Amino acid sequence: MSGPMQGVRVVELGLWVAGPACGGILADWGAEVIKVEPHEGDPFRGLEWLFAGDSNPPFELDNRGKRSVAMNLRSSPGMEVMHRLLETADVFLTNYRPAGLERLGLDHQTLCNRYPKLVYASVTGMSLRGEEANRQAYDIGAFWSRSGIAHALSSGQDSPPVQRGGMGDHMTGLASAAGISAALFHREKTGEGQLVETSLMRIGTYMMGWDHNVTAATGEDVVVRSRNEQPNPLINCYKCSDSKWLWMLGLEGDRHWPQVIAALGVSEWLEDERFSSIETRMENSSALTAQIDAILETKERDEWGRIFDQNNVWWAPVQSSLELLADPQSRAAGCWVQVDTGDDETVEMVASPVDFSVTDWEVTSGAPSLGQDTELVLNELGIDWDRIIEMKESGVIP
């Protein structure tokens, strides 16, 4: 095992995505992550039906490299084992709702008092505070809808766009991994553990920080515009003759304007007062967008890409998942990793998003089957095999 988190033990009581995503990142970084599950397992495991087979690629991504312990935490022996795990843990990671954790005696006040060196990482939908702390959320609720992202991307007149699975969860998991790292650094200096808290709502608000900071400063809502009303048409998406889209990246409108004119072959626009500055182009945004639309619809995207590159026009292709997989730059950027399936074969998966020059990380294994490490982990905790058999017979472990 390698990575900057080598030697760190994480006990994860998580379900679905946001908490397990954090645990998955920490496992990639070298931490030993013990995933504690009920007998029926993390409900995320049940998503196999969506992929019409035995595989569950989203679950594999967020749970690879972990060990699975299945246990009934509503039983006294199960809770006793949980505390044995926590006695050995550096980090307790959970995205259960606060009320459920309190019923189990696993809330942050209880555990931080009992284990003063423990880093308690709480990932919630709505926060640990407020009247809605226990409200059902998922990332579609707290991140996408409640935090203003769906509204901001609705183009002002269309129905809200549909979120892809796990978007807010993954960002929240990454933020939690960063918070855990900072808390472990603090503990290294002081010996003191602490609560690390983040929420889907908090992450969604931060991701939309530009808009929300404007609203906070002015007291006015941000205007949502369609693609035909963008203040700067040089940073907008356009469809080519092959129905593929590209995004122009001329954020500094006046700087990029001459190159765009050269690439589009419209030197007469230099004399057009409607387009003479970034301010006048904003006033005539719809007209300019329509004219660029008409020109870009005459050639395929690859041809426009060559023309843009020749004229130093900044742009990017709007790629599908399959196009990204085949994109050589995604390989160079380290977007993919080979994972051992355990049968002398490997499968390609998405890599976690941070690399280290000295403490290089690796994926040690795929996602565990439900409870596959239960008996071994219990024995490592000093529970003898006779007691393990008793726990199995009484239904504490499956």
Side-chain angles (χ1 to χ4, degrees), residues 100-161:
L101 291 166
E102 191 170 351
R103 286 193 296 270
L104 291 170
L106 297 176
D107 54 283
H108 70 274
Q109 293 97 337
T110 300
L111 293 191
C112 288
N113 287 335
R114 183 166 178 174
Y115 307 107
K117 292 186 177 182
L118 183 69
V119 172
Y120 187 115
S122 168
V123 178
T124 59
M126 309 301 294
S127 174
L128 288 173
R129 301 174 297 279
E131 293 181 358
E132 297 185 69
N134 286 292
R135 186 179 183 86
Q136 309 92 327
Y138 296 116
D139 68 338
I140 294 176
F143 168 85
W144 187 249
S145 301
R146 197 78 180 264
S147 299
I149 299 173
H151 171 75
L153 299 179
S154 66
S155 299
Q157 56 189 4
D158 302 329
S159 59

Side-chain angles (χ1 to χ4, degrees), residues 193-306:
Q194 62 181 303
L195 169 67
V196 176
E197 181 194 356
T198 191
S199 68
L200 290 158
M201 189 175 196
R202 183 81 169 264
I203 295 300
T205 301
Y206 182 73
M207 284 190 64
M208 291 297 298
W210 283 12
D211 282 5
H212 296 331
N213 234 39
V214 169
T215 297
T218 65
E220 298 179 0
D221 213 345
V222 173
V223 177
V224 178
R225 305 175 188 272
S226 71
R227 67 171 292 275
N228 297 319
E229 302 169 320
Q230 293 302 301
N232 177 7
L234 299 195
I235 186 160
N236 205 350
C237 53
Y238 294 94
K239 187 164 70 171
C240 304
S241 65
D242 53 1
S243 295
K244 294 183 178 180
W245 290 76
L246 61 79
W247 219 290
M248 294 177 65
L249 307 176
L251 180 59
E252 299 176 65
D254 285 338
R255 173 188 173 187
H256 294 282
W257 183 237
Q259 291 94 316
V260 171
I261 282 180
L264 299 183
V266 286
S267 57
E268 64 274 14
W269 287 2
L270 289 171
E271 309 302 324
D272 194 323
E273 292 184 359
R274 297 174 301 166
F275 309 145
S276 61
S277 69
I278 195 167
E279 290 84 5
T280 59
R281 290 193 292 275
M282 179 174 66
E283 293 170 1
N284 296 280
S285 174
S286 295
L288 180 54
T289 301
Q291 293 198 42
I292 296 176
D293 274 338
I295 294 171
L296 290 185
E297 286 176 353
T298 64
K299 294 181 175 65
E300 295 184 352
R301 187 177 69 188
D302 286 349
E303 186 174 355
W304 278 123
R306 289 189 291 270

